Amino acid sequence: MRRTPGRTCDDIGVNSAQPAPLLLVQGDEELLASRAITAAVDAACGEDPGADVREYDAAALTAGEVAEMLSPSLFGGRRVLVIRNGQDARKDLTGALVAYAKNPDPDVNLIVGHPGAAKGKALADGLKSAGATVVAVPRLKGDRERVAFIRDEFRRGGGRCDDAAAAALLASIGNDLREIAAACSQLLADTDGKITEAVVARYYRGRAEVSGFTVADAAMIGDVPGAIEALRWALHVGVDPVPIADAIADGVRTVARVASAGRGNPYQLASSLGMPAWKIQRAQERSRGWTPEGLVDAMRAAADCNAAVKGGAEDRGFALEQAVFAVAAARRVGGGR
């Protein structure tokens, strides 16, 4: 699908950063990739506000179209070509782009997005070999990196928050980076920029009470009535089933990892487990009453739930309820009370 063909830089914000003539934005963290591409386009427009900006999806492009767009213009002026989803480029398009990258036009900025997986690797490798500037945007791993992202979001917006506030926001919002960024922006707009745990609680208490994490926490301690009540209310107010299934799976995995590490000090375990201390301490509390066998059963139930919810089950709410019962049963069978 073609996107915004023929825009000029008058349509978008600009900055004065120096643009890279060949840029590969590589990684599967969609928000960061989108920001990197936008920054590159803005940089090119900062150099030439009249530049012609064209955005395409790789699957919709042919080698002939690219050759025409990248050939020297009779009218001069800067051109900015953005190609998203480079992994979907066909072989002829890949060859044309790599050949161009070896002898690029100084009046053209070529920006290619690629998730970094094996599919379409020839394009990414070819651009790198030709000297493209690479911006890496891998998916954030674990709560520690997400907490750092949250703190940086507030810092970029002129505010500040500590780890506790960032962790509280993460627990309320979930792991989707776009939702996290939107929440940070909203908090900055609604407050004086000094974000504390109390501020987060004030703004997101209602949402946290119906999040997947609430369902998962109740299931992990064997509180079936509490988990089912939270689940039904979450679905009633429109919480998507997918993050609830993810929260259940994350809750089981976290308890299993922390339980296998023993009863050490949470702050000492934080580095080796790659988790914030608050999350380790909470998992240690929830691990009481679980056995290794019970956790294996719970992980199997969580995996089945994920497959059903993400695979288009007819009744995703029923699949989530079954997961709650199965996790609680695994805890009882394993010796919990």
Side-chain angles (χ1 to χ4, degrees):
M1 180 184 70
R2 295 189 178 187
R3 299 181 182 175
T4 58
R7 283 191 305 167
T8 66
C9 291
D10 294 333
D11 301 319
I12 52 182
V14 300
N15 60 39
S16 59
Q18 188 68 24
L22 296 172
L23 183 70
L24 173 64
V25 178
Q26 190 170 30
D28 57 353
E29 191 62 80
E30 293 182 3
L31 173 64
L32 301 183
S34 178
R35 285 182 175 180
I37 290 173
T38 298
V41 172
D42 286 355
C45 290
E47 188 171 88
D48 181 357
D52 180 17
V53 181
R54 296 176 182 268
E55 298 188 23
Y56 295 89
D57 191 285
L61 273 177
T62 66
E65 288 176 310
V66 166
E68 181 181 346
M69 286 184 289
L70 293 176
S71 61
S73 172
L74 294 175
F75 303 101
R78 178 159 298 279
R79 284 160 291 151
V80 182
L81 176 59
V82 178
I83 301 178
R84 299 180 185 269
N85 299 312
Q87 76 279 7
D88 295 328
R90 292 186 290 271
K91 188 174 181 179
D92 61 338
L93 176 58
T94 295
L97 289 172
V98 172
Y100 166 81
K102 294 176 181 177
N103 186 27
D105 185 329
D107 292 325
V108 174
N109 291 95
L110 175 62
I111 304 164
V112 177
H114 190 289
K119 184 181 180 183
K121 188 172 182 291
L123 175 58
D125 290 348
L127 293 176
K128 290 177 185 177
S129 297
T133 299
V134 179
V135 175
V137 286
R139 191 171 299 277
L140 299 189
K141 297 178 181 177
D143 287 349
R144 177 178 294 182
E145 291 188 6
R146 295 186 188 99
V147 164
F149 170 82
I150 291 170
R151 296 195 65 178
D152 188 57
E153 280 292 287
F154 285 119
R155 194 177 300 115
R156 289 172 68 246
R160 65 177 186 269
C161 79
D162 56 21
D163 281 351
L169 184 61
L170 183 62
S172 297
I173 297 299
N175 294 336
D176 185 273
L177 228 56
R178 290 186 184 277
E179 289 195 26
I180 291 172
C184 292
S185 177
Q186 190 64 53
L187 282 172
L188 284 169
D190 291 347
T191 68
D192 61 2
K194 299 175 183 177
I195 311 301
T196 65
E197 195 171 1
V199 169
V200 173
R202 184 166 70 250
Y203 277 83
Y204 289 97
R205 180 177 295 113
R207 179 164 183 168
E209 285 173 354
V210 295
S211 74
F213 298 101
T214 306
V215 178
D217 284 347
M220 290 304 295
I221 62 173
D223 181 9
V224 174
I228 294 297
E229 180 182 4
L231 171 61
R232 290 176 178 172
W233 178 248
L235 295 175
H236 174 73
V237 298
V239 177
D240 190 272
V242 170
I244 300 177
D246 286 340
I248 293 173
D250 180 71
V252 177
R253 284 195 303 268
T254 299
V255 167
R257 286 185 63 198
V258 171
S260 67
R263 302 293 300 173
N265 184 295
Y267 294 94
Q268 294 175 342
L269 292 172
S271 178
S272 61
L273 292 177
M275 298 181 196
W278 66 266
K279 190 171 185 178
I280 294 174
Q281 183 175 9
R282 189 170 66 179
Q284 286 177 335
E285 294 169 355
R286 280 152 180 70
S287 67
R288 294 169 189 152
W290 281 96
T291 66
E293 295 78 14
L295 286 169
V296 168
D297 289 343
M299 283 189 279
R300 186 178 297 113
D304 290 343
C305 175
N306 259 278
V309 169
K310 297 177 182 178
E314 289 187 10
D315 190 341
R316 298 193 292 174
F318 178 73
L320 288 166
E321 287 196 11
Q322 291 298 104
V324 167
F325 286 117
V327 168
R331 185 175 184 273
R332 287 195 300 271
V333 170
R337 289 182 171 81

